[in-house]
Amino acid sequence: MTEKVYFNHDGGVDDLISLFLLLQMEDVELVGVGAVDADSYVGPAAEASRKIIDRFGHAQKLAVAISDSRAVHSFPKEWRLAAYSENALPILNEAGTIMTPISPEPAHLDLLHKLQQTTTPLSLVFTGPLTDLARALQIDPTIEKKIKRLVWMGGTFLERGNVAEPDSDGTQEWNAFWDPAAVKTVFDTQIPLELVSLESTNNVPLTQEIRQHWAAQRRFTGLDFIGNSYALVPELRLFETNSTYYLWDVLTTCYFFAADIVKTKEITCAVNTSSPSDGRTYLDPNGRPAKLIYDVSHEKFFALIDRLARKVD
Ligand code: AGV
Ligand code: CA
């Protein structure tokens, strides 16, 4: 049976590759896309999204909604700039025009109305902050019932997160840190939650070996696109730095499609909302239930990316 999914992302390289892969998945109907001004600038992030749908969306009719949500803690500018480069890739600009329109509504209202109007529950895949969902829930809490499951790249239960900022104690994952209150709003619901946290994404750093694997297949347009996109960000070399790139969001969308590529366990959790730990997710016996993705099969994961990416020409 077809699974209907709404995708909200924040314009990073791996967010945009995730959109590309979602468009290739069998029995997955993408019903909406929202782009947030978090790990990107939302202008180029939304434009690149529209071009990816044009070029790789198999003539699917979609609109991209632009979020007007803004940061509590902003992402580093150096990371956000990659959206301009991605949007400038020749393969996305060959046509010279953009057909996929911008949604007339901001992303949280686009999401709200799609949930209100749907007759079958929607799955949500979020690969950036949860702000647009939290805002939609605040307007109409009854949309909760329309959500089949939320697959979110965010949070961590490890001692160390991936935020290195002067107003953080280093325990947070970035998507949670960007808007901690939004995480709390979502955690306070009963939406079935599946967390692709740093536990699992730490297993899939971008490496030279993976780049080579894609480079060797650049005769396939989709793998050439993936290789070019990841060329914009730094891999794991001698040791991990603050800028080392992982396949965070791509693992999230691949897990959404193929749960058998990972290991999961049931947890109960909560989120801290006071500085300098705001955005820290932690295990709490009295917290809300969630499924935590904590490990991934490299072999299955990279084979799935190859298979999906080969579907375009
Ligand atoms: O925390 C991971 C999230 C993912 O949604 N993002 C990147 C992915 O899109 C933020 C992030 C953490 N470290 C980063 C990030 C880095 N070194 N470069 C770019 N973004
Ligand atoms: Ca992201």
Side-chain angles (χ1 to χ4, degrees), residues 15-287:
D15 294 84
L16 293 164
I17 302 290
S18 296
L19 172 60
F20 163 75
L21 292 172
L22 273 171
L23 290 164
Q24 314 313 322
M25 292 173 180
E26 301 86 10
D27 303 321
V28 168
E29 186 190 338
L30 193 55
V31 298
V33 176
V36 193
D37 194 75
D39 198 5
S40 67
Y41 290 86
V42 78
E47 253 185 49
S49 303
R50 294 161 63 207
K51 292 174 190 173
I52 287 170
I53 295 165
D54 282 358
R55 180 66 181 78
F56 300 119
H58 307 282
Q60 201 176 326
K61 295 272 169 280
L62 271 167
V64 172
I66 298 177
S67 176
D68 58 9
S69 299
R70 291 297 178 263
V72 175
H73 300 286
S74 297
F75 273 100
K77 179 180 182 177
E78 293 71 23
W79 299 353
R80 298 177 64 196
L81 283 170
Y84 281 98
S85 306
E86 184 75 31
N87 188 38
L89 287 178
I91 192 164
L92 297 183
N93 290 281
E94 196 173 6
T97 50
I98 313 182
M99 304 302 286
T100 297
I102 299 171
S103 164
E105 296 183 308
H108 72 292
L109 295 181
D110 185 70
L111 172 65
L112 172 72
H113 293 143
K114 291 221 162 80
L115 284 167
Q116 285 174 333
Q117 283 153 22
T118 189
T119 47
T120 48
L122 303 183
S123 296
L124 307 184
V125 174
F126 271 61
T127 57
L130 292 175
T131 315
D132 287 328
L133 175 57
R135 290 173 71 194
L137 285 162
Q138 276 160 349
I139 297 172
D140 178 3
T142 69
I143 55 171
E144 189 181 322
K145 297 191 304 289
K146 302 286 196 75
I147 300 170
K148 184 178 165 207
R149 58 178 178 140
L150 166 63
V151 178
W152 181 43
M153 191 289 125
T156 184
F157 303 94
L158 301 171
E159 262 169 50
R160 196 166 69 87
N162 63 6
V163 173
E165 290 288 312
D167 58 349
S168 151
D169 63 6
T171 58
Q172 305 94 331
E173 179 283 327
W174 255 108
N175 289 339
F177 184 60
W178 196 80
D179 186 354
V183 181
K184 171 120 176 57
T185 301
V186 172
F187 276 21
D188 284 347
T189 67
Q190 288 174 19
I191 299 167
L193 178 63
E194 299 168 33
L195 295 173
V196 182
S197 306
L198 300 182
E199 279 77 352
S200 55
T201 61
N202 280 346
N203 293 320
V204 282
L206 178 64
T207 60
Q208 279 176 294
E209 208 184 326
I210 294 163
R211 291 195 195 283
Q212 190 56 41
H213 175 79
W214 291 329
Q217 300 183 78
R218 66 176 289 274
R219 66 186 179 281
F220 297 104
T221 303
L223 285 148
D224 193 40
F225 172 61
I226 291 178
N228 279 306
S229 300
Y230 276 110
L232 307 175
V233 293
E235 80 250 9
L236 178 64
R237 252 172 203 259
L238 301 174
F239 56 88
E240 189 200 45
T241 73
N242 185 39
S243 290
T244 305
Y245 220 82
Y246 293 78
L247 275 71
W248 303 278
D249 299 350
V250 169
L251 177 58
T252 306
T253 39
C254 285
Y255 159 72
F256 157 76
F257 176 66
D260 69 319
I261 66 172
V262 302
K263 289 187 196 154
T264 64
K265 61 184 170 199
E266 301 298 329
I267 60 163
T268 51
C269 59
V271 64
N272 187 308
T273 51
S274 45
S275 182
S277 303
D278 50 337
R280 178 185 192 171
T281 46
Y282 58 95
L283 297 174
D284 177 355
N286 302 314

